[in-house]
Each structure stands twice: as structure tokens, then as C-alpha cells.
Amino acid sequence: MRGKIIQALAGFYDVECEGVIYRTRARGNFRKKGKTPYVGDLVEFSAENPQEGYILAIHERKNALVRPPIVNVDQAVVIMSAREPDFNANLLDRFLVLLEYKDIHPIIYISKMDLLEDEEVLLAYAAVYEAMGYPFITQMSDLLPYLKDKITVFMGQTGVGKSTLLNKIAPDLALETGEISDSLGRGRHTTRMVKLYHVHGGLIADTPGFSALDYEVKTAPDLNSAFVDIEKVSANCKFRSCTHTHEPACAVKSAAEAGEIAAFRYDDYLQLLSEIENRRETYKKVLKRK
Ligand code: ZN
């Protein structure tokens, strides 16, 4: 049989197959091969009854998050507040780069719209991101249809109202994670139990914090392909390895000057690129010292 792991707890994996949940274990040979099943995995399994099954094989994964350990994530709702803290495009771009790199489709959700007196600036940003293919949502009712048939995670910095939004979308999740963290202590809960919740026809996870996705984009080409607007134009640069900084006949630089790429996006690209390069320099120096 084939199903999806929707919960992992203390060596047991709950696999959902055609609406039935089977409690399974991984055969010993998985551990010998260093393979661990994760929540989100599509697996082949056998089970005589729903209480007792075995995972036989794990299908190839399209991506993996580390904390919490969830694989095959389709999309992420990036929550940014309109005010308190103010909307921050630089921070948003950092989230987007990470998600693109992991092949997770971003959905931008703006919270605390009621605190915003003038929407004009935000609408200008909305136009830029929507042109890149990212939904830019300001109402919860507009978000819900996106959840159908997908595995979704929610992310955002502290104070943007992530819990408030999740409480509204999935009261069960809020209730259950609250109860478990109270009874077992937070640490044990976060390391042991990972679960996907059925919500509005899809599956959502209790969700990575900002630090959970450590910076994994390490090279200029990775960065280029994670900026979808820049990547699109970069095919027309004269040099294939163009970093869009100093090279002649750079299509990206021209497009930024002409306003075809938003100036703030190009600035964020340059900033992230220089951070990547600085990190590489530091790393080289450390190696030399050894
Ligand atoms: Zn270029």
C-alpha cells in the first residue's frame, strides 16, 4: 500500500492511506542504511490492520526542512505584518530566497492590516511580488483556498501574529500543541512529535521559526536562481557566470536601471551577494590558519 506519513512520535509513524490511518514502524534495515522516515514522506507499507504496519520503502523527496523535520513541503505562508513591526521587504526577500532554494512555493500573507493608515506603499510592493508569481494576501479568507491538497508550513518573525493566524485557521493545532507542550515540556514536544493537520482540504504543519531555516544559499548562482525576477532576465546577460555587479552587458543591471526589476529587489540581491562573499572570505581565512 502507498500512503503519506502524517505523524511521527517515538518511533511510530502514522501513515494515511485512502482516509484510513495506519500506525506503522520502520523495519530495522532502514536504520542500518541510515534512512529515517519523516513526516511528509510518501511511503510503501504493509499492514494487516490499522494498529500494526511496517514501512517498506520511502519515495524520493522533493525537499526537507530540518526543524521541524518535515519533507515534501509544497508551499510556505510567509507572514509579514503591515505595522508593528513595519513591513520589511528586505526580510521578506530573505525568506523568499530560502524558500526558492528549497523549491517551496511562497505565499505572502500580510497581517495587522487594520493598523495601516495608508495602504499605498504596501500596494506598490504587492504589485512587484505578484508580478513574480507570489500571491500577496491581506485577508484570511483569501488564503484558505490555497491550502487545498498541499502541505503548507507557516513562517514569520516574532510579533507578526503567526499564532493568532494559526489559531483562526486551525484551532485543533493550537489546542493540541498547547496541551502537549504543557504536559511534556516544550523541548520534548518539539523534538519528538511532528504532525500534519488536516485543514481546509490540505495539510499544515506546526511550523519552523525564523532560525529554523539557517542560511543555506552559499553561491552566487544559487542566489541568482532564488531571485526569480533576476533569474528571468539573467538569461540575456553577456556572460553566463554574470553576478550582475560589474560585468559588461549585464541585462539585470540594465533592467534594474530601467525599472523593469524593482530597485529594492536589486539592492537586496546585491546585499545578499556581498554577505555570501564575505562569508566565503571568512571561511577561507579560517582554513588558512589551520
Ligand atoms: Zn548580469
Side-chain angles (χ1 to χ4, degrees):
M1 291 189 281
R2 180 178 295 182
K4 190 177 276 176
I5 300 179
I6 60 161
Q7 178 173 311
L9 181 65
F12 290 99
Y13 303 94
D14 287 354
V15 178
E16 189 174 81
C17 171
E18 289 171 5
V20 182
I21 292 168
Y22 297 85
R23 178 140 292 192
T24 70
R25 312 199 67 153
R27 288 246 192 237
N29 58 355
F30 273 114
R31 219 154 283 161
K32 277 180 216 146
K33 287 178 194 157
K35 263 190 172 179
T36 309
Y38 286 116
V39 167
D41 262 328
L42 190 62
V43 298
E44 301 294 332
F45 71 105
S46 70
E48 304 263 311
N49 58 64
Q51 282 79 44
E52 226 175 331
Y54 284 98
I55 293 173
L56 306 171
I58 304 170
H59 286 263
E60 202 182 325
R61 296 168 182 146
K62 80 170 184 180
N63 56 39
L65 297 181
V66 179
R67 221 175 326 139
I70 297 174
V71 302
N72 297 325
V73 176
D74 295 303
Q75 59 189 13
V77 176
V78 182
I79 307 165
M80 303 289 295
S81 50
R83 293 283 312 271
E84 300 179 13
D86 285 351
F87 176 79
N88 180 335
N90 184 276
L91 181 63
L92 175 57
D93 285 343
R94 287 167 188 270
F95 277 119
L96 297 179
V97 165
L98 288 172
L99 292 170
E100 287 292 344
Y101 184 66
K102 288 262 182 196
D103 198 15
I104 297 171
H105 185 63
I107 296 171
I108 301 161
Y109 180 83
I110 307 298
S111 62
K112 306 192 191 178
M113 282 299 286
D114 51 319
L115 299 182
L116 202 62
E117 278 156 27
D118 182 1
E119 295 187 1
E120 206 172 308
V121 175
L122 197 68
L123 291 178
Y125 282 117
V128 171
Y129 288 108
E130 279 173 347
M132 283 182 248
Y134 301 138
F136 195 98
I137 294 170
T138 57
Q139 306 245 0
M140 196 181 87
S141 55
D142 292 337
L143 176 63
L144 299 180
Y146 284 94
L147 303 179
K148 195 169 187 291
D149 299 329
K150 303 275 200 252
I151 295 182
T152 307
V153 297
F154 288 72
M155 56 205 301
Q157 62 176 151
T158 315
V160 296
K162 191 170 74 180
S163 315
T164 311
L165 178 66
L166 279 171
N167 285 350
K168 280 191 208 149
I169 293 178
D172 289 355
L173 183 151
L175 192 70
E176 216 171 301
T177 52
E179 276 170 5
I180 289 165
S181 24
D182 287 347
S183 59
L184 293 177
R186 274 192 160 257
R188 283 183 72 182
H189 157 61
T190 47
T191 51
R192 288 206 150 184
M193 161 119 164
V194 185
K195 183 171 178 178
L196 294 173
Y197 294 80
H198 287 275
V199 173
H200 298 280
L203 292 164
I204 70 173
D206 189 17
T207 134
F210 182 49
S211 60
L213 282 168
D214 291 328
Y215 221 80
E216 295 180 61
V217 181
K218 293 189 176 73
T219 67
D222 285 346
L223 187 65
N224 184 73
S225 57
F227 270 83
V228 292
D229 43 352
I230 287 177
E231 189 194 28
K232 207 167 140 197
V233 173
S234 69
N236 299 325
C237 291
K238 183 175 178 190
F239 298 103
R240 206 166 233 229
S241 60
C242 189
T243 61
H244 326 307
T245 51
H246 59 280
E247 295 88 344
C250 170
V252 171
K253 216 171 173 181
S254 310
E257 277 160 12
E260 289 153 18
I261 291 174
F264 77 90
R265 287 280 296 174
Y266 183 58
D267 289 346
D268 287 349
Y269 167 83
L270 292 179
Q271 190 188 11
L272 286 174
L273 183 65
S274 91
E275 286 176 20
I276 287 171
E277 281 166 355
N278 287 340
R279 254 198 312 274
R280 291 178 66 156
E281 284 305 310
T282 313
Y283 184 64
K284 270 188 215 154
K285 275 181 205 153
V286 172
L287 281 183
K288 260 187 196 165
R289 246 180 258 151
K290 276 184 181 171

